[in-house]
Amino acid sequence: MSCVPNAPEAAVKRNLAWFCASGVMVPADGSWGVAERIVLTDNNLALAEIFRNFPVWSEIPGGRVVEARRPDCNFQTALLYLLAGEFFDDPGYTAVAENILGYLYRKSGMIFPENGLWNWSNITKFPCRWFDDNGWCAAIALWIARRRGDLDRIYSMGDQARRAAVLLAGGVLRSLEALSEIRHGSWPDPEGFWLGEPRLPHWGAVALLAAAAVLRDRRDDFLAATIDNYYRRLESQIDQLIASELSYAVLGTAAAARVREGEFHRVLCERFARRLIAKMDPDTGNLPSEHCEAPSGTRLVDTIYTVNWALLGLQAAARLTASEEIVAAYKKLLNLVLEIQDHSGRPELDGCWRGMFDLTAGAWGGGNRYEGGADSIYTGWTNAPIAMALLLAACDSSLTEL
């Protein structure tokens, strides 16, 4: 990448050091991938539910590493390390990215070779195909394949991801005809194949990131029509979307606008962004924690379901639209994320972003849920996406331009 280093690069290096020192990546060369997250155990009232649902872990000081290897977390971390290797001109970072990809394609056993889709994790004993997870996997595989033809040839990344993108788009398209009430994760796929509610952008917009990635390289009328149809439907829901869902919608429409002709997706991206900004605290730049899997509050910085995706989305929207309002909001959110990075000095924490920051207390906190809250520290979803956003900020770029 041709970039001018700036303030975020130091935060990225601290975060990369956290991946190596915290216990989430053992060995630290990425050859056996990255774990889902760290769970801190002191005064964590969600522990029983967490370890009933995630029954594999390793002990570390003050907590446990949830040892499930998820393909989306691994792809996000691999992309972070690949970009870091380019930006810092450091072959060590690049080697970690290559090792994680080797784990995914050659060791993990998580990919379904007949269709290029990924199971939820290495410990899942039955087909468990989530829209959002597979959307990230396919989109990132295509982004990496475009940058690294050698890796594409070794693992057939692009071919597998394109097959997955078509299946994802087909599932999203079917969901638009569902008559059931729209709820988080509730859509019953009539074919029993997919998990997730793609009528919400948490699943649908992320699934279609893969379609947009395909369209960067080739024409596909089905994928193009599915993207257009989806966002025309989503436009009517704009007033019902919480901050988390709006964040996904901003990112998804920014990606769509890069590959579709006309102004529809760009204008809609700006509308979603302005709606999201209307929820933003004018002093801190924070967005309210409203997601059902996290504690709720306007003074809580949710880095698992909200602020992380809002940062990537507003970054992409700022680059796409050049709107002064969106650029200002993006920079305010960027500064907030930089300010709350962990500086505790503890190897399992230093350089990370924990799952929730309490602005009133001026410290990490706000409570816990079994997948969200302050004491869950995710590799993917939180740390890799946030560090990627900072790295892209240092390059004056965005995720949708990869």
Side-chain angles (χ1 to χ4, degrees), residues 95-113:
V96 171
E98 293 171 350
N99 288 340
I100 294 173
L101 292 170
Y103 166 75
L104 282 167
Y105 285 99
R106 294 284 169 82
K107 297 178 182 177
S108 72
M110 291 187 286
I111 194 168
F112 296 107

Side-chain angles (χ1 to χ4, degrees), residues 55 101 155 164 171 175 208 365-366 389:
L101 292 170
Y155 301 122
S175 79
L208 294 180

Side-chain angles (χ1 to χ4, degrees), residues 36-40 44-47 49-50 54 289 291-296 301-305 354-356 365-378 381-382:
E36 182 194 63
R37 57 174 153 157
I38 288 173
V39 173
L40 302 179
N44 188 337
L45 300 181
L47 278 185
E49 189 175 7
I50 291 171
F54 303 90
S289 177
H291 195 277
C292 62
E293 294 178 8
S296 298
V301 185
D302 169 27
T303 66
I304 302 173
Y305 298 104
R354 304 192 204 181
M356 181 163 284
N368 290 291
R369 301 288 185 270
Y370 83 100
E371 287 190 298
D375 292 327
S376 282
I377 308 165
Y378 281 82
W381 286 64
T382 298

Side-chain angles (χ1 to χ4, degrees), residues 9-338:
E9 67 173 314
V12 173
K13 282 194 170 183
R14 289 175 59 83
N15 190 244
L16 294 169
W18 170 80
F19 271 94
C20 293
S22 62
V24 298
M25 189 164 63
V26 178
D29 66 358
S31 57
W32 282 98
V34 293
E36 182 194 63
R37 57 174 153 157
I38 288 173
V39 173
L40 302 179
T41 52
D42 292 346
N43 302 312
N44 188 337
L45 300 181
L47 278 185
E49 189 175 7
I50 291 171
F51 293 112
R52 182 170 60 251
N53 286 278
F54 303 90
V56 290
W57 63 78
S58 297
E59 301 279 351
I60 60 170
R64 297 175 183 177
V65 176
V66 175
E67 291 286 1
R69 264 63 176 157
R70 291 175 51 169
D72 56 337
C73 293
N74 277 268
F75 269 108
Q76 290 166 6
T77 305
L79 180 58
L80 167 63
Y81 269 89
L82 187 67
L83 297 177
E86 295 179 15
F87 179 78
F88 295 112
D89 193 21
D90 188 326
Y93 292 147
T94 303
V96 171
E98 293 171 350
N99 288 340
I100 294 173
L101 292 170
Y103 166 75
L104 282 167
Y105 285 99
R106 294 284 169 82
K107 297 178 182 177
S108 72
M110 291 187 286
I111 194 168
F112 296 107
E114 67 274 16
N115 52 31
L117 298 174
W118 295 83
N119 214 6
W120 178 80
S121 80
N122 64 328
I123 67 166
T124 307
K125 307 302 182 186
F126 52 89
C128 190
R129 296 170 288 249
W130 289 95
F131 276 107
D132 53 341
D133 296 6
N134 273 283
W136 281 117
C137 293
I140 293 173
L142 286 162
W143 296 336
I144 292 175
R146 185 179 299 119
R147 304 180 84 84
R148 291 286 304 272
D150 58 328
L151 294 175
D152 185 22
R153 287 188 291 275
I154 292 170
Y155 301 122
S156 299
M157 298 171 68
D159 287 343
Q160 292 179 0
R162 281 185 284 271
R163 283 187 288 153
V166 172
L167 288 170
L168 284 160
V172 170
L173 196 60
R174 288 202 310 277
S175 79
L176 299 182
E177 305 304 322
L179 300 177
S180 57
E181 181 182 354
I182 298 177
R183 293 182 180 180
H184 182 81
S186 66
W187 177 61
D189 181 355
E191 296 182 8
F193 189 85
W194 290 109
L195 294 172
E197 170 54 281
R199 291 176 293 175
L200 290 174
H202 178 122
W203 287 277
V206 175
L208 294 180
L209 287 177
V214 171
L215 293 174
R216 287 295 291 267
D217 292 328
R218 61 183 64 187
R219 175 174 173 169
D220 188 303
D221 292 340
F222 169 69
L223 296 181
T226 301
I227 286 176
D228 294 349
N229 192 5
Y230 180 75
Y231 286 113
R232 288 192 190 100
R233 294 286 192 98
L234 192 62
E235 184 180 22
S236 65
Q237 299 177 35
I238 190 168
D239 292 332
Q240 287 76 51
L241 297 177
I242 63 173
S244 175
E245 299 294 347
L246 284 166
S247 301
Y248 288 110
V250 173
L251 183 61
T253 47
R258 295 281 180 185
V259 298
R260 298 297 296 129
E261 296 179 356
E263 288 291 292
F264 172 74
H265 296 287
R266 188 197 63 77
V267 171
L268 186 56
C269 178
E270 189 164 346
R271 283 191 63 199
F272 280 130
R274 291 183 187 280
R275 177 67 178 169
L276 179 63
I277 293 166
K279 292 176 172 284
M280 184 177 278
D281 179 82
D283 295 323
T284 65
N286 186 44
L287 290 156
S289 177
E290 302 173 309
H291 195 277
C292 62
E293 294 178 8
S296 298
T298 59
R299 299 283 293 173
L300 299 179
V301 185
D302 169 27
T303 66
I304 302 173
Y305 298 104
T306 307
V307 164
N308 46 337
W309 307 125
L311 182 62
L312 284 167
L314 289 176
Q315 183 179 64
R319 293 278 299 166
L320 178 71
T321 68
S323 159
E324 291 183 3
E325 180 187 10
I326 296 173
V327 170
Y330 156 60
K331 289 182 176 178
K332 185 170 286 189
L333 190 59
L334 182 71
N335 288 333
L336 173 63
V337 167
L338 285 167

